[in-house]
Amino acid sequence: MTSPQSDPAPQPPQGHTHTHAHTHSHGPAAPVSRHLRKVIAAVLIPFATAVVVGLIAFWPGGVPDHERTGVGFDRQTQDGKVVQVVKVDCADVNAAQVPPTGDTSTPSGREAVNEQEGECAKATIEVTSGEDKGRRFVEVVQPDAPRQLKEGQGVVVAYAPDAPRDLQYSVTDVNRKVPMALLAGIFALAVVLVGRMRGVMALVALAVSFTVLTLFILPAILQGSNPLVVAVIGASAIMLAALYLCHGVTARTSVAVIGTLISLLLIGLLGSLFIGWASLSGNTDDNTGLIHGLYPDIDMSGLLLAGVIIGSLGVLDDVTVTQTSAVWELHQADPEMGWKRLYRAGIRIGRDHIASVVNTLVLAYAGAALPLLLLFSIAQSSVGTVANSELVAEEIVRTLVGSIGLVASVPVTTVLAALVVSADRAGSDGAQAATAAPTRTGRGRRRKTG
């Protein structure tokens, strides 16, 4: 027979005591009333419907065709393999030419002399895919080249059909498919082993995110749709799928979704304002220049803003889910806390989260731009000059706008969660239903054991 709980107050009947213990041990932490479920649904169902309508309206149906330029990534490529590497004198293969003036005072002149006097690698490459499978060509690798070739190594070769036959193929990169696939497998295994079913759902959500990105966002932008609108629709679809797949269709998740949505809207507004005010074109390097050349109708500044929104989404999910869960757990620990006390306790947790997340975001962008920052350091440019250049200004705007959205998401999500969970404390039909079921179960168990 189940023993009653010890309590300094007068003991209630044992059946009721058992019910009290059972409710706190196994019942929901903060039952959500039918009324609040209707309120949350009234917000999220129209939003989800709008996202679905947006996906249908802007669905691209594929990437538009264009004539390949043979520049950068816009080249035909095939797989290849290094079948032989022979060391030769660079002078014999005419790998470098000394300037006609004989001037070796410049870096290019000194480099040419070193290359001519050094030992080059003469690699024989065999094409292993495509119509020319089995065809071989020779690639000369200079001694100071950043990428050296080894026998048996897989490579990526570019094909230029309009070039002379001997020059149609050239090595553009190393084939990294095997190590990348192995690393992805280790990552997936670690996520599943530690996260179990949550880890599996996280991987499913990741697959959904890549699907939306590759099948909707990128092709729609290439077809000329407004990058900002496409990014908002795509990011919203990713957010809904990721949060509900990973955390379940609950009021707690719904609050995190609403907090994320409000923060994304703030990021979009600030990004649009400051990208326009700072006259950021979004066309700052060879890759963006190539995109603009191939698809001149694409709004490059809009593409920059779309990147800010999508890049901020992943960190926003983490912040909003953590804050919502913190408030729910605080309510479970002390169901008598009002929404103001819940908010104050939750915001104290959020302040620690803000400090770590903002620092993470800034360091992530700084790490991505490290080569660029090194160039400015070599040039001994002032901080003002560096910050004023469009390349760096883009990263500054991207970082600060995203960080403002992250900071704002903490109080927004915390107050939403506190209001929702505290509104269900007393008198809600959902709470009564959740309490009534364990009561009957507890009495049934007591009679059986008696």
Side-chain angles (χ1 to χ4, degrees), residues 24 145 170 236 240 265 269 328 373 442 449:
H24 280 275
S170 61
S236 300
L240 290 171
L265 291 175
L269 290 173
W328 245 260
L373 296 178
T449 55

Side-chain angles (χ1 to χ4, degrees), residues 16-195:
H16 182 77
T17 304
H18 183 273
T19 300
H20 180 76
H22 182 84
T23 301
H24 280 275
S25 299
H26 303 286
V32 177
S33 67
R34 184 177 302 171
H35 173 68
L36 274 180
R37 286 200 299 268
K38 289 181 178 179
V39 172
I40 293 173
V43 175
L44 289 179
I45 290 178
F47 170 61
T49 303
V51 171
V52 173
V53 171
L55 287 172
I56 295 172
F58 287 89
W59 193 262
V63 178
D65 294 330
H66 71 278
E67 185 177 350
R68 290 186 178 272
T69 62
V71 178
F73 291 103
D74 194 40
R75 290 180 287 187
Q76 299 182 39
T77 59
Q78 300 291 347
D79 293 334
K81 182 179 180 181
V82 181
V83 295
Q84 186 182 34
V85 177
V86 179
K87 296 294 183 180
V88 296
D89 193 339
C90 289
D92 294 338
V93 292
N94 199 27
Q97 294 290 333
V98 178
T101 60
D103 182 14
T104 59
S105 60
T106 63
S108 59
R110 290 193 297 270
E111 182 179 342
V113 171
N114 293 334
E115 290 173 356
Q116 198 174 53
E117 294 176 350
E119 190 177 47
C120 293
K122 188 176 182 181
T124 302
I125 316 296
E126 181 177 324
V127 181
T128 57
S129 65
E131 297 180 356
D132 289 336
K133 182 177 179 180
R135 179 175 167 181
R136 295 188 176 189
F137 65 95
V138 174
E139 182 94 0
V140 175
V141 183
Q142 299 176 356
D144 61 344
R147 181 180 60 244
Q148 298 293 321
L149 300 179
K150 299 178 293 184
E151 191 169 322
Q153 185 178 35
V155 293
V156 178
V157 297
Y159 175 58
D162 297 332
R165 180 174 174 80
D166 293 341
L167 302 176
Q168 286 182 334
Y169 281 97
S170 61
V171 176
T172 61
D173 210 342
V174 173
N175 193 327
R176 303 180 180 89
K177 294 178 181 177
V178 173
M180 297 292 284
L182 179 61
L183 182 60
I186 295 172
F187 163 74
L189 182 62
V191 170
V192 173
L193 287 178
V194 176

Side-chain angles (χ1 to χ4, degrees), residues 199-329:
V200 173
M201 298 312 295
L203 292 177
V204 174
L206 183 62
V208 171
S209 299
F210 274 109
T211 301
V212 173
L213 184 65
T214 56
L215 296 185
F216 174 71
I217 296 178
L218 299 180
I221 291 175
L222 289 178
Q223 285 198 345
S225 299
N226 187 301
L228 176 58
V229 176
V230 170
V232 169
I233 295 172
S236 300
I238 291 172
M239 174 185 65
L240 290 171
L243 288 179
Y244 283 119
L245 280 172
C246 293
H247 305 287
V249 184
T250 63
R252 183 186 306 197
T253 307
S254 298
V255 171
V257 168
I258 295 172
T260 305
L261 174 62
I262 294 172
S263 303
L264 278 179
L265 291 175
L266 176 62
I267 289 173
L269 290 173
L270 287 176
S272 179
L273 172 63
F274 283 95
I275 286 174
W277 195 0
S279 299
L280 299 177
S281 66
N283 189 1
T284 54
D285 57 24
D286 293 340
N287 292 328
T288 53
L290 179 59
I291 293 171
H292 185 64
L294 294 174
Y295 300 96
D297 294 334
I298 292 180
D299 179 7
M300 300 303 294
S301 60
L303 186 62
L304 172 61
L305 179 56
V308 173
I309 293 174
I310 295 172
S312 302
L313 177 61
V315 189
L316 269 178
D317 287 352
D318 173 50
V319 173
T320 55
V321 168
T322 301
Q323 285 305 114
T324 306
S325 297
V327 172
W328 245 260
E329 294 301 323

